[in-house]
């Protein structure tokens, strides 16, 4: 297992276009998280899956954002009608079940630039 | 909304200097505190998980302490090296399923 992978690494899109990012977690990790990080800020929670169930969503996740995790494996995050304010680093992380002190294993992120 | 704060926001030190930074968090419902190091163009890398008041953890030249009663953690780097340049993030787990991150401390070590 090569860790958490995210695709693409970089995405430049025009305002109003739709974009989709993919995250492949570590295979034995049942929890998957999406965070967003903007310049000068720490990562902000967007949403969380346990297996295929989306258990929590931040109010930061407007109706233009949707995330899925079919079959509890990889996850996709789609942003519709992108706005310049969506420009950020989108981080995916996964964690193993059981212990509550399990930290995250992060991917390298997808950097989105909306022009 | 949990308020996790880190200071300073950025720090420039000379190679060989020792340095430290702070993570402050609400002390109620504490479960665990995590420290990560995030180098440019890489994934955030886990450094420490701390759960007990008075915990001290060490990894090479980096160490951390935890005070859950007053709600703070310190990260220390002894004899900073250029390769220590990174953003250091702390994150609070308050027995939920997510981590709440601070804004990070960006460390730059000049050779």
């Amino acid at each position: 297992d090569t860790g958490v992978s995210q695709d693409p690494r970089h995405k430049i899109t025009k305002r109003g276009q739709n974009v989709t990012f993919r995250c492949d977690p570590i295979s034995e990790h049942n929890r998957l998280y999406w965070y967003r990080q903007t310049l000068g800020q720490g990562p902000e929670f967007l949403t969380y899956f346990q297996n295929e169930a989306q258990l929590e969503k931040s109010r930061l996740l407007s109706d233009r954002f949707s995330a899925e995790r079919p079959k509890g494996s990889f996850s996709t995050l789609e942003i519709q009608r992108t706005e310049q304010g969506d420009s950020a680093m989108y981080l995916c992380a996964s964690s193993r079940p059981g212990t509550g002190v399990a930290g995250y294993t992060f991917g390298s992120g997808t950097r989105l630039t909306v022009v | 909304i949990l308020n996790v704060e880190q200071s300073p926001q950025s720090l420039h030190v000379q190679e060989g200097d020792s340095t430290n930074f702070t993570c402050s968090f609400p002390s109620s419902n504490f479960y665990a505190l995590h420290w990560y190091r995030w180098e440019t163009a890489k994934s955030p890398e886990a450094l420490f998980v701390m759960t007990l008041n008075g915990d001290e953890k060490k990894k090479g030249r980096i160490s951390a302490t935890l005070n859950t009663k007053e709600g703070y953690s310190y990260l220390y780097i002894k004899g900073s090296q250029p390769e220590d340049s990174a953003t250091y993030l702390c994150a609070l787990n308050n027995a939920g399923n997510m981590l709440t991150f601070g804004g990070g401390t960006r460390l730059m070590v000049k050779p």
Side-chain angles (χ1 to χ4, degrees):
Chain A
D1 200 334
T2 55
V4 178
S5 57
Q6 290 188 247
D7 183 68
R9 290 293 300 270
H10 303 275
K11 178 73 178 177
I12 300 174
T13 191
K14 290 185 179 177
R15 191 173 51 187
Q17 297 293 304
N18 299 344
V19 294
T20 300
F21 311 141
R22 177 178 170 127
C23 172
D24 286 89
I26 292 174
S27 55
E28 61 266 29
H29 287 185
N30 71 336
R31 294 176 180 169
L32 186 147
Y33 308 82
W34 285 99
Y35 280 74
R36 179 174 70 186
Q37 189 253 349
T38 53
L39 197 62
Q41 304 292 320
E44 296 173 298
F45 170 75
L46 292 178
T47 191
Y48 151 62
F49 290 85
Q50 182 156 301
N51 300 314
E52 65 275 12
Q54 187 174 20
L55 296 187
E56 285 198 54
K57 291 196 293 187
S58 163
R59 62 173 186 268
L60 291 175
L61 213 65
S62 76
D63 56 8
R64 295 186 297 106
F65 288 70
S66 61
E68 294 182 344
R69 193 183 181 197
K71 302 178 185 176
S73 55
F74 71 92
S75 175
T76 58
L77 178 69
E78 182 184 13
I79 309 174
Q80 295 183 326
R81 306 181 304 281
T82 51
E83 301 173 357
Q84 286 189 318
D86 297 331
S87 296
M89 172 74 82
Y90 289 84
L91 286 167
C92 175
S94 67
S95 70
R96 65 180 189 271
T99 172
V101 299
Y104 296 171
T105 301
F106 279 96
S108 299
T110 293
R111 182 168 292 285
L112 173 67
T113 303
V114 182
V115 297
Chain B
I1 297 176
L2 294 176
N3 195 21
V4 180
E5 296 186 348
Q6 291 188 245
S7 63
Q9 196 170 20
S10 66
L11 193 54
H12 291 74
V13 301
Q14 209 61 42
E15 182 176 355
D17 287 350
S18 293
T19 187
N20 65 86
F21 14 98
T22 306
C23 173
S24 303
F25 51 86
S27 53
S28 58
N29 298 319
F30 176 85
Y31 196 73
L33 188 89
H34 300 251
W35 281 99
Y36 287 85
R37 175 170 61 199
W38 192 4
E39 295 179 69
T40 303
K42 295 187 177 179
S43 313
E45 170 200 357
L47 288 174
F48 304 115
V49 180
M50 308 176 79
T51 57
L52 298 175
N53 184 44
D55 252 356
E56 290 188 30
K57 295 279 178 91
K58 189 174 180 184
K59 188 176 183 178
R61 294 178 293 98
I62 304 177
S63 60
T65 61
L66 178 67
N67 183 322
T68 60
K69 293 184 179 179
E70 295 182 39
Y72 65 83
S73 175
Y74 293 139
L75 189 81
Y76 300 91
I77 303 178
K78 185 177 178 182
S80 304
Q81 299 297 307
E83 58 265 30
D84 297 328
S85 298
T87 296
Y88 291 82
L89 296 165
C90 71
L92 179 69
N93 179 338
N94 69 332
N97 291 308
M98 300 91 63
L99 296 181
T100 300
F101 285 85
T105 293
R106 188 176 174 201
L107 174 67
M108 283 151 282
V109 183
K110 299 177 191 175

